[in-house]
Amino acid sequence: MTTATTGTAAAKAGANAGKAKPATMAQALQRAMRDAMAEDPTVHVMGEDVGTLGGVFRVTDGLAKEFGEDRCTDTPLAEAGILGAAVGMAMYGLRPVVEMQFDAFAYPAFEQLISHVAKMRNRTRGAMPMPIVIRVPYGGGIGGVEHHSDSSEAYYMATPGLHVVTPATVEDAYGLLRAAIASDDPVVFLEPKRLYWSKSDWSPEAPAPVEPIGKAVVRRQGTGATLITYGPSVPVCLEAAEAAQAEGWDLEVVDLRSLVPFDDETVCASVRRTGRAVVVHESTGFGGPGAEIAARVTERCFHHLEAPVLRVAGFDIPYPPPMLERHHLPGVDRVLDAVARLQWEAGS
Amino acid sequence: MDSLQQRSSTVQEPPGAVPAYRPTPPPAWQPRTDPAPLLPDTEPLRVLGTDAVADADPALLLRLYAELIRGRRYNTQATALTKQGRLAVYPSTHGQEACEIAAALALEERDWLFPSYRDTLAAVARGLDPVQALTLLRGDWHTGYDPHEHRIAPLSTPLATQLPHAVGLAHAARLKGDDVVALAMVGDGGTSEGDFHEALNFAAVWQAPVVFLVQNNGFAISVPLAKQTAAPSLAHKAVGYGMPGRLVDGNDAIAVHQVLTEAVARARRGGGPTLVEAITYRIDAHTNADDATRYRAAGEVETWRAHDPILILERELTERGLLDEDGRRAAAEAAETMAAELRERMNADPVLNPMDLFSHVYAEQTTQLREQAAQLRAELEAEGEA
């Protein structure tokens, strides 16, 4: 798996070789929480194993030691209880950052998420905002056994009141998590777990920008077609775009970063330029995020499209056992096949 | 290989050379707490009709009486409003007025109440405008009040989901150094939900200043308690979490007030949570949409009518010379005034702004919601012109 660095970042990494040790996405997330906790005493981190152990992925490493167990709390093992307690804490003016240890372990908390976290502002006409961040390590590619690799973003996207955010780079992991913690609305913060160890020359000590939620970014410019993607599929698409270059296909890659709110403007501007689009994600395709994105693009850019909007998604199956997951996850070849199906040569 | 050889050599040794196996307890085990003080009494606490009533404050007795009369009238008025179509639905608390009101009155102003959908009376006893308490049931908005203003969380329709909120709020208050207590109310059916378990467990582990009040009214819609739980009592469940369980006669307003006041005080001084089970009965059906004759016998209802919370309090007050005909009339008239005002205000059509549909989804409207709001605005303008 390639790292999530962009071409520019990789070049900078070369220039900085031998200087600072590259930072990982896990470290960037950890620093985002540390900086937020240092600046704002109402920020509380909580979840199973987040304290003494520092989280099973070490993303909360050191926070309990630095801020005390009242600010970074090992909770009982109960996702509905964790999120339900966070609701009450938010009611009393705290800003809980909740860790759900793995994607599929978040499901017991769905009722709290959907019936209360997402709706409380609305139920109370704005009197009770829910500034809660729900961090969910998600997606496959790390050889996890079942219930450890789900891509559950479509469930969250379908729930009004939630923001759904997923970084693909080390820098965005920091910038977007800071924005999520600062948000007065609940944010489901999906962390692509196979990118936790991806690196960048971003220094954990250097000032880092907070990225606004709701803005997609063009990771690679191109003219022939747009790959619309997010999270763990961003590096796949960047690699596919490099490979496509050899075939003479100039691909643009849009990293959504935020699924809700959705950045129609950036996506549609790109598709209008290129006239062709493929949505790439590892979540299942049927009723998945790509269905929504393809429909939006078609509704808005129909007259600019040279071909139907295609989807490259995970198969419509329960997440497979780890020894078969490479057949399920959309890889570079599958993306390139879709690009070819866009009927590159007019009339061919 | 070495260990294998060693093992085979021991086989050669004569019996008796190896110390006999003696079972020992698991090394780390010790009881975490003595369960005995956590166990509820075998009988629900009663005060009315016992010698203990002599200790009750006459002013409190009279206040509870007036509130119970008002609460009963509120129930009949709200039920009448459902028949007129003014309320979509009303879950009556007829028969449960003592639990609702005595519990709410055990709280200080700075404390928080976490009610279920049936607990409108508790909210009103806490000072909430009777009309605002009915907004959810009328259908003009989900919550008719600012929860922070009255320190009453929104009435929760999903069962037991408000209990972890109470724990989180109480925990947060304690972290901030505020001596705030949260009272979380749930029915007997709600104790079967996972959120009930998780809330009690979190509260006990965190020693959060929370009081859980289960109003055991006998039925979860139509399902009787025997089909809900096999526990000796719902109060017994407390022991498993490491908090005290208390049993109280839920129709005895003074007993409820006493138990709740003790539990609230205990929570406030850092003693942790308490689970209280109040034994009561729902005289009316689950809601106006329910037919209670399908699942319970008339005779059972009549037994409970003889143990009516207002009846037993009134008898006590009369016997003690605290209440006479004038007192009864004054309470009834105050209740009638409340009902008349409620009726009048509920008969006025609420003013609704359809654009509110988009106002409170997010702090800042998304582009998508702005587009949809524009669509609705155009539709409304077209309607206005038509």
Side-chain angles (χ1 to χ4, degrees):
Chain A
M1 191 52 55
T2 56
T3 64
T5 49
T6 59
T8 350
K12 267 196 275 172
N16 288 345
K19 281 186 187 170
K21 202 176 152 196
T24 64
M25 180 182 281
Q27 287 168 332
L29 293 164
Q30 185 259 334
R31 187 190 147 195
M33 281 182 275
R34 178 156 43 89
D35 288 356
M37 291 172 89
E39 280 173 27
D40 181 352
T42 66
V43 176
H44 284 243
V45 170
M46 55 200 277
E48 169 74 1
D49 299 310
V50 299
T52 310
L53 183 66
V56 294
F57 294 105
R58 306 292 181 269
V59 177
T60 56
D61 195 20
L63 297 180
K65 205 170 178 188
E66 187 170 348
F67 297 99
E69 288 181 14
D70 281 345
R71 296 280 307 280
C72 179
T73 309
D74 275 334
T75 63
L77 205 173
E79 289 76 13
I82 294 168
L83 191 52
V87 169
M89 290 164 74
M91 285 178 172
Y92 208 79
L94 301 185
R95 303 183 89 84
V97 180
V98 161
E99 177 175 306
M100 297 286 160
Q101 201 159 73
F102 280 93
D103 32 60
F105 296 171
Y107 301 149
F110 258 45
E111 184 177 21
Q112 285 294 340
L113 183 72
I114 287 158
S115 295
H116 295 296
V117 174
K119 290 179 182 165
M120 195 63 81
R121 169 186 290 281
N122 192 252
R123 293 169 77 199
T124 60
R125 292 183 196 254
M128 274 192 161
M130 286 284 115
I132 301 174
V133 179
I134 301 114
R135 294 181 37 242
V136 186
Y138 84 119
I142 63 160
V145 295
E146 70 167 342
H147 306 299
H148 287 71
S149 301
D150 285 16
S151 294
S152 29
E153 56 268 32
Y155 305 134
Y156 303 116
M157 288 171 71
T159 303
L162 300 177
H163 289 309
V164 185
V165 170
T166 176
T169 68
V170 175
E171 291 84 347
D172 273 2
Y174 179 86
L176 289 170
L177 186 53
R178 287 302 306 270
I181 297 171
S183 169
D184 283 336
D185 285 318
V187 180
V188 177
F189 195 88
L190 299 167
E191 299 174 1
K193 63 172 91 74
R194 73 170 130 132
L195 300 185
Y196 271 147
W197 304 280
S198 65
K199 289 176 182 164
S200 125
D201 63 334
W202 179 79
S203 160
E205 280 74 41
V210 174
E211 292 294 337
I213 290 175
K215 297 272 178 242
V217 64
V218 177
R219 289 270 172 233
R220 183 191 196 277
Q221 291 187 333
T223 54
T226 302
L227 301 180
I228 305 166
T229 188
Y230 57 86
S233 295
V234 170
V236 175
C237 287
L238 289 170
E239 199 183 327
E242 290 305 316
Q245 197 72 53
E247 313 259 341
W249 300 342
D250 184 21
L251 300 182
E252 182 146 310
V253 177
V254 174
D255 174 2
L256 293 172
R257 306 202 284 190
S258 164
L259 296 169
V260 182
F262 188 82
D263 186 352
D264 288 302
E265 198 184 327
T266 302
V267 169
C268 290
S270 173
V271 175
R272 285 184 190 122
R273 275 197 302 274
T274 63
R276 293 175 170 89
V278 182
V279 188
V280 182
H281 58 64
E282 65 179 65
S283 164
T284 51
F286 187 85
E292 172 63 31
I293 295 164
R296 300 187 79 80
V297 169
T298 306
E299 285 173 352
R300 283 164 178 73
C301 312
F302 184 72
H303 294 294
H304 294 82
L305 286 173
E306 306 284 338
V309 180
L310 298 183
R311 285 171 291 165
V312 176
F315 293 130
D316 296 328
I317 55 171
Y319 197 85
M323 292 173 84
L324 293 173
E325 70 179 345
R326 69 186 178 85
H327 300 293
H328 168 71
L329 294 172
V332 169
D333 289 347
R334 212 172 276 165
V335 175
L336 292 175
D337 283 350
V339 171
R341 275 194 290 134
L342 289 171
Q343 301 180 6
W344 204 260
E345 301 295 331
S348 68
Chain B
M1 282 309 274
D2 284 349
S3 64
L4 265 179
Q5 282 165 357
Q6 273 171 9
R7 211 175 299 154
S8 58
S9 70
T10 57
V11 172
Q12 306 299 323
E13 289 181 22
V18 179
Y21 172 71
R22 276 196 204 91
T24 54
W29 192 82
Q30 55 176 337
R32 298 180 52 78
T33 187
D34 177 6
L38 306 179
L39 281 164
D41 291 333
T42 46
E43 284 291 319
L45 179 77
R46 284 188 307 123
V47 174
L48 295 175
T50 71
D51 294 342
V53 80
D55 300 330
D57 173 15
L60 176 66
L61 287 165
L62 285 169
R63 171 150 191 226
L64 283 168
Y65 176 75
E67 290 280 353
L68 258 56
I69 294 287
R70 208 166 80 103
R72 175 67 50 89
R73 188 66 190 89
Y74 188 91
N75 275 317
T76 53
Q77 185 56 62
T79 302
L81 286 166
T82 60
K83 290 176 182 149
Q84 296 157 21
R86 281 291 173 184
L87 286 179
V89 66
Y90 181 71
S92 170
T93 46
H94 186 127
Q96 298 179 221
E97 293 92 343
C99 313
E100 292 276 320
I101 289 161
L105 295 187
L107 295 177
E108 301 286 339
E109 204 174 311
R110 61 187 179 285
D111 297 333
W112 273 76
L113 175 72
F114 286 80
S116 81
Y117 61 92
R118 195 181 294 283
D119 302 319
T120 42
L121 271 196
V124 171
R126 201 164 156 65
L128 183 64
D129 178 341
V131 172
Q132 289 183 342
L134 292 175
T135 305
L136 168 80
L137 304 166
R138 174 161 68 179
D140 51 313
W141 201 257
H142 307 304
T143 303
Y145 51 92
D146 177 347
H148 291 286
E149 190 187 337
H150 298 279
R151 285 156 306 283
I152 303 171
L155 297 162
S156 184
T157 322
L159 293 188
T161 54
Q162 78 280 17
L163 307 184
H165 305 170
V167 177
L169 180 133
H171 177 63
R174 204 163 66 121
L175 290 178
K176 284 191 175 184
D178 300 342
D179 66 341
V180 166
V181 175
L183 169 61
M185 298 175 95
V186 68
D188 42 304
T191 64
S192 299
E193 292 279 4
D195 278 37
F196 173 84
H197 158 68
E198 297 191 20
L200 266 71
N201 191 46
F202 270 66
V205 170
W206 285 352
Q207 286 293 285
V210 190
V211 178
F212 299 98
L213 173 63
V214 180
Q215 290 186 66
N216 173 7
N217 68 12
F219 295 90
I221 304 190
S222 68
V223 179
L225 190 67
K227 289 185 182 172
Q228 200 68 246
T229 182
S233 79
L234 296 172
H236 274 82
K237 293 189 177 222
V239 185
Y241 299 103
M243 73 175 79
R246 302 293 310 274
L247 261 178
V248 61
D249 179 343
N251 287 18
D252 182 334
I254 287 294
V256 173
H257 191 266
Q258 186 180 311
V259 168
L260 264 293
T261 303
E262 281 166 14
V264 166
R266 183 172 178 277
R268 204 183 307 283
R269 65 171 181 264
T274 305
L275 172 65
V276 180
E277 177 186 0
I279 314 293
T280 185
Y281 196 81
R282 193 188 72 210
I283 295 290
D284 288 345
H286 165 63
T287 66
N288 50 303
D290 169 38
D291 176 8
T293 62
R294 292 173 74 105
Y295 54 84
R296 64 188 193 186
E300 180 183 295
V301 183
E302 289 317 305
T303 325
W304 277 94
R305 278 192 201 279
H307 192 60
D308 184 282
I310 296 179
L311 191 73
I312 59 177
L313 181 60
E314 198 170 75
R315 196 178 291 150
E316 186 77 50
L317 290 170
T318 310
E319 273 179 25
R320 297 184 63 196
L322 293 169
L323 186 70
D324 57 11
E325 193 50 46
D326 286 347
R328 274 193 287 273
R329 196 182 311 117
E333 279 170 6
E336 206 49 54
T337 307
M338 178 278 300
E341 195 195 329
L342 177 60
R343 202 163 50 233
E344 191 184 333
R345 289 176 61 205
M346 290 296 289
N347 278 329
D349 290 324
V351 181
L352 304 180
N353 179 6
M355 297 314 293
D356 273 359
L357 291 175
F358 302 102
S359 302
H360 309 294
V361 184
Y362 296 101
E364 213 176 302
Q365 272 181 11
T366 60
T367 317
Q368 291 76 28
L369 284 186
R370 276 198 298 275
E371 285 170 10
Q372 291 165 31
Q375 180 193 340
L376 179 63
R377 195 176 297 113
E379 287 172 9
L380 292 170
E381 279 165 13
E383 266 179 34
E385 284 161 17

